[in-house]
């Protein structure tokens, strides 16, 4: 058969599937670009590309199943087998054309994101080549396995489910096979060539699936499946895999545990060989039992003022109450020239009791002073090194008494999100913090937590740091 | 007659109930025994998996199974309204899913015995995911009730998830509160506190979901009653 006509016939056969898949995979990036355009940040898409790329391998599998089903269902199978067509070239042609089509579909959001980002910012997306490679390999794997499964099963939905499950299983093999893992991060990812293993497994399985497809079609192999047995088998397999994997990383016996109700989230830090929890307690474990010894962190201010009285920090009315932001950690840690620093917001307020409509009393905070405090961690204590007076921000504290506060640290700057403003701080010299830029914040983040963090204006952040 | 239809659906879908109960229990016991993650995280992992797996398992051949087996011919010849057939399938699936989520939540509470999460928290999180799973099933029924085979059902489910995904992104990125309250996964998002208090109002969420579920069921029922192609 003429190759061009064959390719044309195959593409024509899949036209609706291709259109549907392009629509599905491009829906979110297009929506993001329109939203960005509406927000005045230019018509570009970048953050959703990764989400969309997860769909790529799934859709590649769908194309594979549709491709096979188009010619291998009962009547069509009998039809083309009656024609003088070689099984090998026919299946190879179908396989290759479907693979090219699915890779083109998968490439659409990446190309769109790259092109629009270049047009909007003049910069390229970071790590786009690695992303491309990863998604292409994953899509190739899913496509091949789903193709093989549909040749055997001859039912689109079941073949797709089995194919995707096998592809996921293949990705888990490098995790499961080395049966003596002690620490996933070091033993598996860094030392054992984890990425190479994944690449070998995926490409090997893809090639095996292709060969298996040709053999299965030549010998007309078919497997009759049952939804019930498939689901039980799949769940059982996942359970066994999970057991195998968890056996390797969860074989640490719990010797002792202590309840830590004081904080909702713990900040564990290792400083000069000492293990600190929320910078207030030092953890030691003699005789396999946990001991929490209070450090003198809380008194470091008093110590500092006693030792260096010539350089007081800031003076506030002692009647004011004090709270810290973030209130569940010790602050935002960063390093400059090998020294450890922490940024934290000290807020001073007056508590005002208010009678609620329900009859109960509620204490409302009226903020008076806000200071951004930078401390250096030396020999077990946090020593104050500098501060910034941000009291002009207290007007923007909302009625419920929340201060919105977040920090994004880059190489030499800190992007401080404080209420309705974004402050860009120069942090190359922590002893001398300076505000270099102030901008109003625009809109809420899609990852809004209970503190309702807004999006930082991104114009002043280099693309590589975003 | 409705009771007999419900009994038929119960017998046909009993294996799904068994599947859901056994697999959920197995994973709960494993995760809460080995304590790979904190209890709330284990609860969230199992609940997220259940949110997507259980409705898909139920909806995959709930309606299309009758079509592909051709038993729908026999079913439609029974002197009973089609809307009763539709609701017998839907209610039985919903009830069994509820049973799976309730038992999983109770098992989590039993295994967790308030060692990390406070009493009732795991059950509440899993229960809210169960509500979202029920809403997802409703939407799968709307778009999948005329599917002739499993592939059609699967495509319908894919479309539902993508469609609501787009609405989720739009509502959270552009702060469209009313659209957020229409999301079937709104309860699950609220359970994990993935959104702000300003975006999520539980009363509005419940009222919106009741309204939209009534609308969705009306459409699904209408579509099922109007099936012509296979007959």
């Amino acid at each position: 058969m003429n190759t061009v006509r064959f390719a044309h016939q195959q593409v024509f056969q899949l036209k609706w599937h291709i259109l549907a898949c392009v629509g599905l995979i491009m829906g979110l990036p297009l929506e993001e670009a329109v939203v960005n355009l509406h927000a005045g940040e230019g018509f570009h898409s970048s953050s959703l590309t990764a989400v969309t790329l997860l769909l790529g391998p799934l859709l590649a599998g769908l194309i594979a199943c549709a491709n096979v089903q188009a010619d291998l269902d009962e009547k069509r199978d009998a039809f083309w087998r009656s024609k003088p067509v070689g099984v090998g070239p026919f299946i190879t042609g179908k396989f290759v054309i479907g693979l090219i089509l699915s890779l083109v579909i998968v490439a659409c959001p990446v190309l769109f994101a790259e092109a629009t980002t270049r047009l909007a910012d003049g910069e390229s997306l970071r790590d786009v080549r690695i992303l491309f490679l990863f998604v292409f390999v994953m899509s190739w794997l899913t496509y091949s396995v789903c193709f093989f499964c549909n040749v055997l099963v001859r039912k689109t939905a079941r073949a797709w489910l089995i194919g995707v499950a096998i592809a996921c299983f293949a990705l888990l093999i490098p995790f499961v096979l080395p049966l003596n893992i002690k620490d996933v991060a070091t033993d598996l990812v860094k030392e054992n060539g984890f990425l190479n293993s994944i690449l070998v497994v995926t490409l090997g399985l893809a090639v095996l699936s292709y060969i298996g497809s040709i053999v299965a079609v030549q010998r007309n192999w078919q497997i009759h499946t049952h939804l019930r047995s498939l689901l039980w088998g799949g769940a059982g397999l996942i359970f066994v895999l999970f057991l195998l994997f968890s056996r390797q990383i969860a074989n640490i016996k719990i010797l002792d545990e202590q309840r830590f109700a004081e904080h909702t989230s713990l900040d564990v830090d290792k400083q000069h060989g000492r293990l600190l929890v929320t910078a207030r307690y030092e953890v030691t474990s003699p005789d396999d039992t946990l001991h929490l010894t209070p450090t003198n962190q809380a008194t470091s201010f008093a110590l500092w003022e006693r030792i260096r009285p010539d350089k007081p920090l800031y003076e506030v009315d002692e009647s004011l109450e004090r709270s810290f932001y973030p209130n569940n950690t010790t602050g935002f840690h960063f390093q400059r020239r090998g020294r450890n620093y922490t940024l934290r917001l000290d807020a001073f307020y007056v508590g005002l009791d208010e009678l609620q409509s329900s009859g109960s009393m509620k204490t409302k905070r009226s903020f008076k002073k806000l200071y951004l405090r930078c401390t250096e961690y030396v020999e077990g204590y946090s020593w104050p090194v500098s501060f910034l007076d941000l009291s002009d921000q207290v007007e923007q504290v909302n009625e419920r008494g929340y201060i919105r506060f977040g920090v994004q640290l880059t190489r030499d700057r800190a992007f401080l999100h404080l209420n309705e403003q974004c402050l860009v701080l120069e942090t190359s010299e922590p002893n001398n913090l300076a505000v270099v830029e102030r901008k109003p914040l625009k809109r809420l983040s899609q990852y809004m937590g209970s503190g309702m963090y807004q999006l930082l204006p991104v114009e002043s952040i280099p693309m590589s740091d975003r | 007659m409705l009771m007999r239809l419900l009994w038929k659906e119960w017998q046909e879908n009993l294996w799904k109930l068994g599947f859901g109960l056994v697999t959920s229990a197995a994973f709960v016991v494993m995760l809460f025994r080995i304590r790979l993650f904190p209890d709330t995280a284990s609860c969230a992992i199992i609940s997220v998996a259940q949110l997507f797996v259980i409705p898909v398992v139920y909806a995959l051949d709930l309606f299309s199974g009758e079509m592909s087996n051709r038993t729908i011919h026999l079913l439609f010849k029974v002197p009973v309204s089609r809307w009763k057939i539709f609701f017998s399938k839907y209610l039985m699936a919903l009830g069994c899913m509820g049973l799976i989520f309730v038992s999983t939540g109770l098992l989590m509470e039993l295994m967790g015995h308030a060692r990390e999460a406070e009493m009732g928290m795991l059950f509440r999180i899993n229960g809210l995911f169960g509500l979202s799973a029920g809403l997802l099933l409703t939407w799968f029924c709307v778009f999948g009730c005329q599917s002739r085979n499993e592939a059609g059902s699967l495509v319908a489910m894919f479309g539902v998830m993508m469609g609501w995904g787009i609405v989720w992104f739009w509502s959270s990125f552009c702060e469209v509160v009313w659209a957020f309250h229409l999301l079937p996964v709104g309860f699950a998002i609220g359970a994990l506190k993935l959104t702000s208090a300003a975006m999520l109002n539980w009363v509005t969420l419940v009222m919106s979901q009741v309204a939209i579920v009534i609308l969705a069921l009306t459409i699904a029922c209408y579509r099922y009653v109007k099936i012509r192609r296979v007959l």
Side-chain angles (χ1 to χ4, degrees), chain A residues 107-139:
Chain A
C108 283
V110 187
L111 292 174
F112 177 74
E114 175 71 9
T116 51
T117 310
R118 272 177 187 266
L119 285 172
D121 296 285
E123 289 188 49
S124 176
L125 281 178
R126 193 167 54 168
D127 299 336
V128 73
R129 284 179 195 155
I130 296 170
L131 208 63
F132 242 132
L133 182 72
F134 176 76
V135 175
F136 270 32
V137 170
M138 291 298 115
S139 302

Side-chain angles (χ1 to χ4, degrees), chain B residues 35-225:
Chain B
R35 297 183 70 181
L36 194 60
F37 311 107
D39 287 351
T40 41
S42 297
C43 171
I45 291 167
I46 292 166
S47 302
V48 169
Q50 280 184 318
L51 174 65
F52 293 105
V53 172
I54 303 288
V56 168
V57 167
Y58 267 95
L60 198 59
D61 67 345
L62 190 64
F63 295 101
S64 65
E66 303 272 12
M67 303 253 202
S68 55
N69 295 337
R70 304 281 175 185
T71 49
I72 197 166
H73 293 275
L74 302 172
L75 197 60
F76 280 179
K77 280 176 185 165
V78 176
V80 62
S81 310
R82 286 190 186 183
W83 69 266
K84 282 187 182 171
I85 298 173
F86 172 83
F87 274 102
S88 66
K89 288 178 178 295
Y90 174 73
L91 289 176
M92 188 47 68
L94 207 63
C96 291
M97 277 174 51
L99 209 57
I100 292 169
F101 275 92
V102 166
S103 56
T104 310
L106 287 174
L107 189 61
M108 282 182 195
E109 282 295 330
L110 195 70
M111 296 290 294
H113 52 79
R115 63 187 173 199
E116 288 174 15
E118 60 193 58
M119 184 66 83
M121 188 180 178
L122 303 177
F123 185 79
R124 184 172 55 83
I125 292 175
N126 194 250
L128 289 170
F129 270 82
L131 277 177
S132 288
L135 295 168
L136 267 182
L137 176 81
T138 310
W139 284 103
F140 291 162
C141 292
V142 173
F143 290 94
C145 66
Q146 285 193 342
S147 305
R148 282 178 291 177
N149 49 35
E150 288 164 11
S153 298
L154 204 65
V155 170
M157 289 178 216
F158 222 124
V160 167
M161 287 191 198
M162 278 300 297
W164 282 118
I166 288 173
V167 175
W168 183 3
F169 170 74
W170 170 59
S171 63
S172 58
F173 212 73
C174 301
E175 302 169 59
V176 187
V177 179
W178 66 265
F180 181 82
H181 285 132
L182 296 181
L183 289 174
V185 290
F187 289 105
I189 295 169
L192 295 184
K193 295 180 180 166
L194 291 176
T195 189
S196 67
M199 281 290 280
L200 181 66
N201 183 325
W202 288 102
V203 178
T204 318
L205 180 65
V206 171
M207 287 169 64
S208 311
Q209 289 300 337
V210 168
I212 199 165
V213 160
I214 290 171
L215 180 70
L217 280 178
T218 311
I219 297 169
C221 192
Y222 178 79
R223 292 191 71 207
Y224 193 72
V225 168

Side-chain angles (χ1 to χ4, degrees), chain A residues 360-373:
Chain A
S360 59
M361 295 294 285
K362 188 181 176 186
T363 305
K364 187 182 170 187
R365 291 178 173 187
S366 171
F367 286 90
K368 303 296 177 191
K369 294 282 182 188
L370 290 179
Y371 293 101
L372 181 72
R373 194 186 71 177

Side-chain angles (χ1 to χ4, degrees), chain A residues 24-25 27-28 31-32 35-36 47-48 55 58-59 62 155-158 160-161 227-228 231-232 235 238-239 242-243 245-246 249-250 254 257 259 400 442-450 452 455, chain B residues 12 15-16 18-19 22-23 26-27 30-31 34-37 45 57 60-61 114-118 150-151 154-155 158-159 162 165-167 169-175 193-199:
Chain A
L24 279 173
I25 206 165
L28 285 173
E31 188 189 11
E32 189 199 2
V35 168
N36 281 337
S47 63
L48 270 176
L55 283 174
L58 300 181
L59 292 180
L62 210 61
K155 285 191 184 233
T156 315
R158 290 180 193 183
W160 183 78
L161 285 174
L227 184 64
R228 196 180 305 189
L231 285 172
W232 277 111
I238 293 170
F239 186 75
F242 218 114
L243 269 183
F245 179 56
S246 59
I249 58 171
I254 297 170
E257 54 188 329
R259 194 173 182 86
R400 293 162 66 190
K442 291 178 180 174
R443 55 195 165 85
L444 296 175
S445 161
Q446 57 179 314
Y447 306 109
M448 285 176 295
S450 56
M452 247 176 66
L455 287 181
Chain B
E12 280 181 1
W15 72 271
K16 293 180 187 173
F19 173 79
V22 170
T23 49
F27 281 97
M30 182 172 66
L31 279 181
I34 61 176
R35 297 183 70 181
L36 194 60
F37 311 107
I45 291 167
V57 167
L60 198 59
D61 67 345
R115 63 187 173 199
E116 288 174 15
E118 60 193 58
E150 288 164 11
L154 204 65
V155 170
F158 222 124
M162 278 300 297
I166 288 173
V167 175
F169 170 74
W170 170 59
S171 63
S172 58
F173 212 73
C174 301
E175 302 169 59
K193 295 180 180 166
L194 291 176
T195 189
S196 67
M199 281 290 280

Side-chain angles (χ1 to χ4, degrees), chain A residues 52-206:
Chain A
T52 314
L53 289 177
L54 286 175
L55 283 174
L58 300 181
L59 292 180
L62 210 61
I63 294 275
C65 291
N67 192 13
V68 176
Q69 198 66 22
D71 278 322
L72 286 190
D73 69 350
E74 285 179 28
K75 290 170 187 169
R76 285 184 189 172
D77 184 50
F79 170 74
W80 74 260
R81 277 183 194 277
S82 68
K83 302 294 169 194
V85 183
V87 172
F90 181 73
I91 292 299
T92 304
K94 278 186 86 65
F95 184 89
V96 171
I97 289 165
L99 181 63
I100 292 169
L101 285 175
S102 54
L103 292 185
V104 167
I105 291 169
V106 167
C108 283
V110 187
L111 292 174
F112 177 74
E114 175 71 9
T116 51
T117 310
R118 272 177 187 266
L119 285 172
D121 296 285
E123 289 188 49
S124 176
L125 281 178
R126 193 167 54 168
D127 299 336
V128 73
R129 284 179 195 155
I130 296 170
L131 208 63
F132 242 132
L133 182 72
F134 176 76
V135 175
F136 270 32
V137 170
M138 291 298 115
S139 302
W140 187 6
L141 169 72
T142 323
Y143 176 87
S144 311
V145 175
C146 286
F147 193 94
F148 178 54
C149 289
N150 209 356
V151 164
L152 290 177
V153 175
R154 311 270 171 108
K155 285 191 184 233
T156 315
R158 290 180 193 183
W160 183 78
L161 285 174
I162 300 169
V164 169
I166 293 175
C168 293
F169 173 67
L171 292 179
L172 276 177
I173 287 175
F175 277 109
V176 178
L177 278 185
L179 290 169
N180 55 349
I181 304 170
K182 287 176 185 165
D183 177 35
V184 176
T186 51
D187 290 9
L188 203 67
V189 180
K190 289 179 185 167
E191 290 174 12
N192 287 359
F194 172 71
L195 288 175
N196 292 340
S197 309
I198 281 209
L199 209 62
V200 167
V201 167
T202 49
L203 293 181
L205 196 63

